Amino acid sequence: MSKPFKRILFTGAAGNLGRRLRDHLQQFADVVRLTDAVDFGPAREGEEVMLGDLGNRDDVFRMCEGVDAILHFGGVSTEQPFEPIMNANILGTVNLYEAVHKLGIKRVVFASSNHTMGMYPTTTLVDAGMPTRADGYYGLSKVWGEALSRFYWDRFGIETVCLRIGYCFPEPTTHRQMNTWVSLDDMVQLLHRSLVVPCVGHSITFAVSDNPGRWWDDRHTRFLGYAPKDSSAQFADPLHGAAVDYSTNEDITLKFQGGPFLNNGPKYPS
Amino acid sequence: MSKPFKRILFTGAAGNLGRRLRDHLQQFADVVRLTDAVDFGPAREGEEVMLGDLGNRDDVFRMCEGVDAILHFGGVSTEQPFEPIMNANILGTVNLYEAVHKLGIKRVVFASSNHTMGMYPTTTLVDAGMPTRADGYYGLSKVWGEALSRFYWDRFGIETVCLRIGYCFPEPTTHRQMNTWVSLDDMVQLLHRSLVVPCVGHSITFAVSDNPGRWWDDRHTRFLGYAPKDSSAQFADPLHGAAVDYSTNEDITLKFQGGPFLNNGPKYPS
Amino acid sequence: MSKPFKRILFTGAAGNLGRRLRDHLQQFADVVRLTDAVDFGPAREGEEVMLGDLGNRDDVFRMCEGVDAILHFGGVSTEQPFEPIMNANILGTVNLYEAVHKLGIKRVVFASSNHTMGMYPTTTLVDAGMPTRADGYYGLSKVWGEALSRFYWDRFGIETVCLRIGYCFPEPTTHRQMNTWVSLDDMVQLLHRSLVVPCVGHSITFAVSDNPGRWWDDRHTRFLGYAPKDSSAQFADPLHGAAVDYSTNEDITLKFQGGPFLNNGPKYPS
Amino acid sequence: MSKPFKRILFTGAAGNLGRRLRDHLQQFADVVRLTDAVDFGPAREGEEVMLGDLGNRDDVFRMCEGVDAILHFGGVSTEQPFEPIMNANILGTVNLYEAVHKLGIKRVVFASSNHTMGMYPTTTLVDAGMPTRADGYYGLSKVWGEALSRFYWDRFGIETVCLRIGYCFPEPTTHRQMNTWVSLDDMVQLLHRSLVVPCVGHSITFAVSDNPGRWWDDRHTRFLGYAPKDSSAQFADPLHGAAVDYSTNEDITLKFQGGPFLNNGPKYPS
Amino acid sequence: MSKPFKRILFTGAAGNLGRRLRDHLQQFADVVRLTDAVDFGPAREGEEVMLGDLGNRDDVFRMCEGVDAILHFGGVSTEQPFEPIMNANILGTVNLYEAVHKLGIKRVVFASSNHTMGMYPTTTLVDAGMPTRADGYYGLSKVWGEALSRFYWDRFGIETVCLRIGYCFPEPTTHRQMNTWVSLDDMVQLLHRSLVVPCVGHSITFAVSDNPGRWWDDRHTRFLGYAPKDSSAQFADPLHGAAVDYSTNEDITLKFQGGPFLNNGPKYPS
Amino acid sequence: MSKPFKRILFTGAAGNLGRRLRDHLQQFADVVRLTDAVDFGPAREGEEVMLGDLGNRDDVFRMCEGVDAILHFGGVSTEQPFEPIMNANILGTVNLYEAVHKLGIKRVVFASSNHTMGMYPTTTLVDAGMPTRADGYYGLSKVWGEALSRFYWDRFGIETVCLRIGYCFPEPTTHRQMNTWVSLDDMVQLLHRSLVVPCVGHSITFAVSDNPGRWWDDRHTRFLGYAPKDSSAQFADPLHGAAVDYSTNEDITLKFQGGPFLNNGPKYPS
């Protein structure tokens, strides 16, 4: 079976998601170009490897040269001081979309984050049409990426699917992880749909499995045809059989969707 | 088991849907009256056959005489010049509802169409409360039928379920057909529910199977209890394994829900 | 001062609104072409006069030849049997937009009607994004015109402002007329804005003065900059000092916005 | 496996739901305190029994003393004259929340009712954000309980999950019962989720199984993770094979969600 | 000029609003029946006086006998212990609507209160379609009255206009009073509109003058034609020239619309 | 009359708005601290002057030391290459809010811009609850500021009023300027309200006069009590008497709210 693309770019190959997704990317293209700021080993068959700094315009233009589509998973993915986030996630996306625009690339899949909406209460169902409520510098940098890619769609017709990714690790063990978990297979399915559906415009969707209790409503992106096959219901529910202590309901990591990130954000002394 | 009705009328018996549905109508009534403008063969057991022109008031009154409920599938069902559409779909529905009103018939199931909303982008989730966006004379004539039947509900209490029917053929082979497909069994189930639920008021619903990626949200008509059993996921996905060419995203038959109908509509010379 | 256009077309010159507006149209164009199906006297300076049937395609093409913009006020403007409404208001608008499309005309101001929403209760605030609720064949024909003009915008980029016109007579004398009254000056102002605002897309707005108690919300068309200068508050309020008889609250001409039109619509014998 | 709570209070133990739920409550706490106004037999192992009048403040304070959480199912549960409803359901909830507040109890699960919305048509999909439409004194008393518990959340941070309970009997036999049925197992699951999810704020949800045709949309409370396992589809559909008589569509017990309750409400002579 | 009614009932004549409105009621009816639980002096010309307890069914039936319409301003109008509120405002409205129903009275104007929504933040624009958020027993009792009167409309077609009354005293002196002030003249105008507009259904509106900064949006009741003539802008703004102390923004009487009522509500010891 | 504050900070004193507003700031505080990156002359009586770079954390902390409230008008205010915008508007706001947080300042008025929504069509009414649609780097940087200040409210309770400022120059001369104009007096009134209203939370409002045709709906911030006294209707309407050329309706500077900024944004070569 032929592959959908000749060459795609995947940034952030050294990260958690990059390493887990790597083996699944080959189905999308004859050549998968993998990049990161730090070394992640040599190219395998069907791969190209490039190292570079997203904050460096020339590096980014080199990464994007000759690709048909981009999976942009690079940049900082945890709460950190502002400077590295500004460089990789803000300047980095500016560089990327300038390259995309100049080079005539037509579609990007952008790894956004649920931390764009981390300050919503855990009792609120969030959909992609609601205002963002970031929970720190990291979440704010993803709000930036969503807004920037929206501009490139509105003004230049470049398509982006923004994935607000949940908890993508093998096994959820907390209530928050149960609600936000996404299996690797579902993640790969969503990447596939984001790449191949003929028209996606600028879309914001949720990378989450079919968990009971999930906080996010995908009503704006049903056209993607993403149909998660997995659910956190297959794991032991940490709420089942455990003693309940309501005094924790003042705990901001339980009250707000951002969870533990809320305690990692900007504070003095920063 | 007794049947829900003594006699029902099914218009449009010679059409694609009429021929496919014919064998499934007997469960609804002791006598199924089948009509069309063109000959479609003799009546079978439990059937009555009448020929007539929907644009002819007397013909329509004869068709409606003595029936308990109507499945109105007759009229033009493709994009065509305006005159035949005006006759069959506009004047035809006016005649039909005058007959319904005069004869005291209480419920109609009206075959509307997804082309009432064909100018919505394929990235938009459409529900029955949103303004119509027809994609040509055919779609506009179905907007007319929905508005006319709404009037008969608001003013005279005559109930209608408008079915915005998707792609009702045995096998979908394009992305658009995958999203809009409705199986014959699901279609029959929806007819059944539309006929037997005690109160339906004036409702607009979507005749579509449980396809991933469908564009339509049935939130306004869940009370019908329609639970599709089929899904286009059972067919080979035309997007799977195919080469992607984003340059087609300027193609209006991909950008808008109406698909190929957009190229068949009114144009000069008409 | 130069005029905005070289030549505009005003259809329906013999009607109530046509006769009242006639003297105010000269400000819009060097030449005002006036048309109707029935004679309304000779052209004055700066005018052209044409007679013709909107249901006749050739007539309509002649009317539209060489004009920069159209004020389409022609057709049936009262509740009547369906045939004349179908000819003038349905076939008539189809003919008009085919001409507009062929001849490259870019903007139409379409005289729609509040009877597109006459089946809304008088206690409901209606805006242009809500589903239509016509109160008879006349109102339905205006729903048709709004849907048809929407199609020409969605598909071909032809702009239309649909005016849902209220009670445009010199003096309101009933509660309904007080709520729906529009002064001639406000009407002229609204025509001016509809013609000169640079971008109008497909818009539906309400031609009504600044009456207390009005039923319609113009939130979707504030961009027109229409600022009514008149109000029915300047007239004696028919509710003031009059005896109240609540038993009339079952009167459909008081319960629904369409008022007396509700008693004039399709009925048997029609 | 340890139990979530040391002691919970269940009021209304002698009622239909109380008797059916009793055997399922032990999983929630080491001690289940059961109360009602009328005798329902002796305590079993792991149970405490108290009798008392919800309209009596002292009784209520005694019931609430020393419990970790409350399942408030007590009070009148049918349409009745106003006085007993006022005593048990209005004064009773006032007493209960005063006790809850004084005693520092943090969460209540309140048995509200679908009769808070019984005057919505059966063609309307109701969600928890829509205005209530009670169908009699009983439904109004549940509106009171929802509003009162909202106040205790807004003002004092006391959490309540209001359950608008459907038809919780073993077997549905009417169309209305099919749409509103909730199985005992689903009911127990919902109680569990309402008790153990870390943050619930003030929530209104629907205790209903996964029936096709259900009238209620749980979009505001998906965070509870309630995933019904049962559906009325497992029972014979009373609409299937039955003769249809549309003349019943004027029957208020079919037109409105409240069903037969509409004929039991306040009337003269009351 | 003749008067709109023969006889109307005004309950609560001894209260603040009752005393201020008394002289303005004669324009509405030949006879104004004034009632309260406490003595308020003898009847003047064109008045009838009755004393009685709203919690007493017989008293209420006597009050309502022979009247054409009711202005129900009686009952408790401040935060108090629950028992008197239950008697006058809960049982009282039940008695009133039973009388209204039995006696065939068709319209009530009900003095509800802004305290039905006192727990909304002062930064929120509230409209009548949003859920209530009462700020104490008094506000909850007004939620009850609104829900009860809604039932009588839904079920029996009895019309009620609920007035959520703001600060109706001669002169506002705090920021909250500036935003919620209603002049006596505007109040009287609103009573007039509520009585004479032909159809009002069940409506909830805001009795407030045209103050800048008001918190309430009357979009659902524009049909009343209420056009306030006064504004608190005519008074000295307490915020102008005063020193700002942001530390007060934790003050619940400033954060929530209910203001000082929030400190008067149910608390332990109650 | 005493002044509301002891000391306020106004950043951006050398800019267009800074220079026009300077003389009006003294009413707000005993001492007005004025800052900018470039020299703007000596302090006058009641003023302090500081120069500094918003991208420099130490500079920003010095500016904020000892002030009661901040009017943040500093930074880049035109479309420019990304680097200066990143420094002043992104890093600058990060520095500012870190200082605000550390120093315990409770309220900021942030000069956002209508270019946060410049990609909305001119036919769309925009309110503060709708997703942003920036029209270039400048607009995106203001989206950043709004999102960052939202975070400081959600997480730390620091209040900000974001002003999406229109065209604040003495005289509007284009259609776009007519719709977006704000007079200096209205601007000053809005600053006053933003500073003195007791609770503002995180609010986004529109700094625009009462122009007919304005594109923005302030429904979310009526509580501010901002009542514009001016209107662009006092100026000659550039659309009045001018020739209309519909061919310009493809002109993006007329189709989108951002106007000429759309042609100044990021492009290749950037």
Side-chain angles (χ1 to χ4, degrees), chain E residues 65-190:
Chain E
E65 187 76 44
V67 306
D68 300 318
I70 297 175
L71 303 174
H72 183 48
F73 280 64
V76 173
S77 62
T78 54
E79 190 59 35
Q80 297 197 9
F82 186 62
E83 287 70 16
I85 288 177
M86 181 170 71
N87 182 68
N89 293 15
I90 295 181
L91 184 54
T93 51
V94 166
N95 287 335
L96 188 88
Y97 278 89
E98 289 201 355
V100 161
H101 188 201
K102 176 191 176 186
L103 300 170
I105 298 166
K106 304 294 283 183
R107 189 175 296 179
V108 178
V109 181
F110 170 55
S112 182
S113 167
N114 69 80
H115 293 286
T116 54
M117 44 187 178
M119 291 308 301
Y120 276 105
T122 53
T123 51
T124 297
L125 183 70
V126 179
D127 70 55
M130 294 164 68
T132 54
R133 295 283 178 264
D135 58 21
Y137 288 143
Y138 169 63
L140 285 162
S141 76
K142 293 301 183 180
V143 171
W144 170 268
E146 292 183 357
L148 178 73
S149 54
R150 176 80 209 187
F151 166 73
Y152 274 90
W153 164 248
D154 285 338
R155 185 67 183 82
F156 301 117
I158 293 163
E159 294 190 313
T160 298
V161 180
C162 300
L163 309 181
R164 292 184 178 169
I165 301 172
Y167 180 77
C168 190
F169 289 88
E171 191 162 337
T173 57
T174 69
H175 178 60
R176 183 179 184 280
Q177 291 169 2
M178 291 293 283
N179 279 5
T180 64
W181 183 68
V182 56
S183 74
L184 193 65
D185 284 352
D186 285 343
M187 190 75 210
V188 171
Q189 184 200 150
L190 183 51

Side-chain angles (χ1 to χ4, degrees), chain B residues 190-206:
Chain B
L190 183 51
L191 290 183
H192 180 255
R193 300 303 298 176
S194 300
L195 285 168
V196 304
V197 166
C199 297
V200 299
H202 183 269
S203 297
I204 298 173
T205 193
F206 304 96

Side-chain angles (χ1 to χ4, degrees), chain F residues 86-224:
Chain F
M86 181 169 71
N87 181 67
N89 293 16
I90 295 181
L91 184 53
T93 50
V94 166
N95 287 336
L96 187 89
Y97 277 89
E98 290 201 353
V100 161
H101 188 201
K102 177 191 176 186
L103 300 170
I105 298 166
K106 303 294 285 181
R107 188 174 298 179
V108 178
V109 181
F110 170 55
S112 183
S113 167
N114 70 81
H115 293 285
T116 52
M117 45 186 178
M119 292 307 302
Y120 276 105
T122 53
T123 51
T124 299
L125 184 70
V126 179
D127 69 55
M130 294 164 66
T132 54
R133 294 286 178 263
D135 59 21
Y137 288 143
Y138 168 63
L140 285 162
S141 76
K142 292 300 184 182
V143 171
W144 170 267
E146 291 184 357
L148 179 72
S149 54
R150 177 80 209 186
F151 166 72
Y152 274 90
W153 164 248
D154 284 337
R155 186 66 183 83
F156 301 116
I158 294 162
E159 295 190 312
T160 298
V161 180
C162 300
L163 309 180
R164 291 185 179 168
I165 302 172
Y167 179 76
C168 191
F169 288 88
E171 192 161 338
T173 58
T174 69
H175 177 60
R176 183 180 184 280
Q177 291 169 3
M178 290 294 283
N179 280 5
T180 63
W181 184 69
V182 56
S183 74
L184 193 65
D185 284 352
D186 285 342
M187 190 75 210
V188 171
Q189 184 200 151
L190 183 51
L191 290 183
H192 180 254
R193 300 304 297 176
S194 300
L195 285 169
V196 304
V197 166
C199 297
V200 299
H202 183 268
S203 297
I204 298 173
T205 194
F206 304 97
V208 65
S209 288
D210 186 25
N211 314 319
R214 66 188 178 287
W215 295 323
W216 310 323
D217 181 346
D218 68 351
R219 69 187 317 280
H220 293 286
T221 46
R222 293 213 186 119
F223 72 89
L224 284 174

Side-chain angles (χ1 to χ4, degrees), chain A residues 56-68:
Chain A
N56 181 303
R57 196 169 182 276
D58 290 341
D59 284 6
V60 174
F61 270 67
R62 273 192 303 110
M63 293 175 190
C64 295
E65 186 76 45
V67 306
D68 300 318

Side-chain angles (χ1 to χ4, degrees), chain E residues 2-270:
Chain E
S2 79
K3 295 182 177 180
F5 301 97
K6 292 218 176 94
R7 180 183 279 105
I8 60 167
L9 166 64
F10 184 96
T11 68
N16 160 54
L17 273 169
R19 282 176 285 116
R20 295 189 71 207
L21 288 168
R22 186 170 177 176
D23 289 340
H24 300 267
L25 301 175
Q26 305 245 1
Q27 63 185 282
F28 298 140
D30 298 331
V31 180
V32 176
R33 181 178 296 163
L34 299 164
T35 70
D36 208 306
V38 298
D39 187 66
F40 53 95
R44 304 174 192 163
E45 191 180 325
E47 293 181 346
E48 292 173 354
V49 162
M50 273 188 199
L51 298 189
D53 174 7
L54 291 167
N56 182 303
R57 196 169 183 276
D58 291 340
D59 286 4
V60 173
F61 270 65
R62 273 193 303 112
M63 292 176 192
C64 295
E65 187 76 44
V67 306
D68 300 318
I70 297 175
L71 303 174
H72 183 48
F73 280 64
V76 173
S77 62
T78 54
E79 190 59 35
Q80 297 197 9
F82 186 62
E83 287 70 16
I85 288 177
M86 181 170 71
N87 182 68
N89 293 15
I90 295 181
L91 184 54
T93 51
V94 166
N95 287 335
L96 188 88
Y97 278 89
E98 289 201 355
V100 161
H101 188 201
K102 176 191 176 186
L103 300 170
I105 298 166
K106 304 294 283 183
R107 189 175 296 179
V108 178
V109 181
F110 170 55
S112 182
S113 167
N114 69 80
H115 293 286
T116 54
M117 44 187 178
M119 291 308 301
Y120 276 105
T122 53
T123 51
T124 297
L125 183 70
V126 179
D127 70 55
M130 294 164 68
T132 54
R133 295 283 178 264
D135 58 21
Y137 288 143
Y138 169 63
L140 285 162
S141 76
K142 293 301 183 180
V143 171
W144 170 268
E146 292 183 357
L148 178 73
S149 54
R150 176 80 209 187
F151 166 73
Y152 274 90
W153 164 248
D154 285 338
R155 185 67 183 82
F156 301 117
I158 293 163
E159 294 190 313
T160 298
V161 180
C162 300
L163 309 181
R164 292 184 178 169
I165 301 172
Y167 180 77
C168 190
F169 289 88
E171 191 162 337
T173 57
T174 69
H175 178 60
R176 183 179 184 280
Q177 291 169 2
M178 291 293 283
N179 279 5
T180 64
W181 183 68
V182 56
S183 74
L184 193 65
D185 284 352
D186 285 343
M187 190 75 210
V188 171
Q189 184 200 150
L190 183 51
L191 290 183
H192 180 254
R193 300 304 298 177
S194 299
L195 285 169
V196 302
V197 166
C199 297
V200 300
H202 182 269
S203 297
I204 297 173
T205 193
F206 304 96
V208 65
S209 287
D210 186 25
N211 315 319
R214 66 189 178 286
W215 295 323
W216 312 321
D217 180 346
D218 68 350
R219 69 187 315 281
H220 293 286
T221 46
R222 294 215 184 117
F223 72 89
L224 284 175
Y226 167 60
K229 301 285 186 252
D230 293 306
S231 162
S232 63
Q234 65 194 75
F235 301 101
D237 184 350
L239 298 183
H240 205 85
V244 172
D245 177 7
Y246 292 138
S247 66
T248 62
N249 82 344
E250 288 304 307
D251 181 348
I252 58 171
T253 70
L254 295 176
K255 284 179 83 168
F256 296 99
Q257 297 192 5
F261 269 59
L262 271 79
N263 284 333
N264 301 334
K267 53 184 165 292
Y268 186 79
S270 66

Side-chain angles (χ1 to χ4, degrees), chain A residues 2-252:
Chain A
S2 80
K3 295 181 177 179
F5 301 97
K6 293 219 176 94
R7 179 183 282 105
I8 61 167
L9 167 63
F10 184 95
T11 67
N16 161 54
L17 272 169
R19 280 174 288 116
R20 295 187 73 206
L21 288 168
R22 185 170 178 176
D23 288 341
H24 300 266
L25 301 175
Q26 305 246 358
Q27 64 186 281
F28 298 140
D30 297 331
V31 180
V32 176
R33 180 178 298 164
L34 299 164
T35 70
D36 209 306
V38 299
D39 187 64
F40 53 94
R44 303 174 193 162
E45 191 180 325
E47 292 181 347
E48 293 173 353
V49 162
M50 275 189 198
L51 297 189
D53 174 8
L54 289 168
N56 181 303
R57 196 169 182 276
D58 290 341
D59 284 6
V60 174
F61 270 67
R62 273 192 303 110
M63 293 175 190
C64 295
E65 186 76 45
V67 306
D68 300 318
I70 297 174
L71 303 173
H72 182 49
F73 280 64
V76 174
S77 63
T78 54
E79 191 57 36
Q80 295 197 9
F82 186 62
E83 286 70 15
I85 287 177
M86 181 170 72
N87 182 68
N89 293 16
I90 294 181
L91 185 54
T93 52
V94 166
N95 287 335
L96 188 90
Y97 277 89
E98 288 201 356
V100 161
H101 187 202
K102 176 190 176 184
L103 299 170
I105 299 165
K106 304 293 284 182
R107 189 176 297 181
V108 178
V109 181
F110 171 56
S112 182
S113 167
N114 69 81
H115 293 286
T116 53
M117 44 187 178
M119 291 308 301
Y120 276 105
T122 54
T123 51
T124 298
L125 183 71
V126 179
D127 70 55
M130 292 164 67
T132 54
R133 294 284 177 264
D135 60 19
Y137 288 142
Y138 169 64
L140 285 162
S141 76
K142 293 301 184 181
V143 171
W144 170 267
E146 292 184 358
L148 178 73
S149 54
R150 176 78 210 189
F151 166 72
Y152 274 91
W153 165 247
D154 284 337
R155 185 68 184 83
F156 301 117
I158 293 163
E159 294 191 313
T160 298
V161 180
C162 300
L163 310 179
R164 291 184 180 170
I165 302 171
Y167 179 77
C168 191
F169 289 87
E171 192 161 337
T173 59
T174 69
H175 178 60
R176 183 180 184 279
Q177 290 169 4
M178 291 293 282
N179 279 5
T180 64
W181 184 68
V182 55
S183 75
L184 194 65
D185 284 353
D186 285 343
M187 188 76 210
V188 171
Q189 185 201 148
L190 183 51
L191 290 183
H192 180 255
R193 300 303 298 176
S194 299
L195 285 169
V196 304
V197 166
C199 298
V200 299
H202 182 269
S203 298
I204 297 174
T205 194
F206 305 95
V208 65
S209 287
D210 185 26
N211 313 320
R214 66 189 178 286
W215 295 322
W216 310 321
D217 181 345
D218 68 350
R219 68 188 317 280
H220 293 285
T221 47
R222 295 216 183 115
F223 72 90
L224 284 175
Y226 166 61
K229 302 284 186 254
D230 293 306
S231 162
S232 63
Q234 66 194 75
F235 300 102
D237 185 350
L239 298 184
H240 205 86
V244 172
D245 177 6
Y246 292 139
S247 66
T248 62
N249 83 347
E250 288 305 307
D251 180 348
I252 59 170

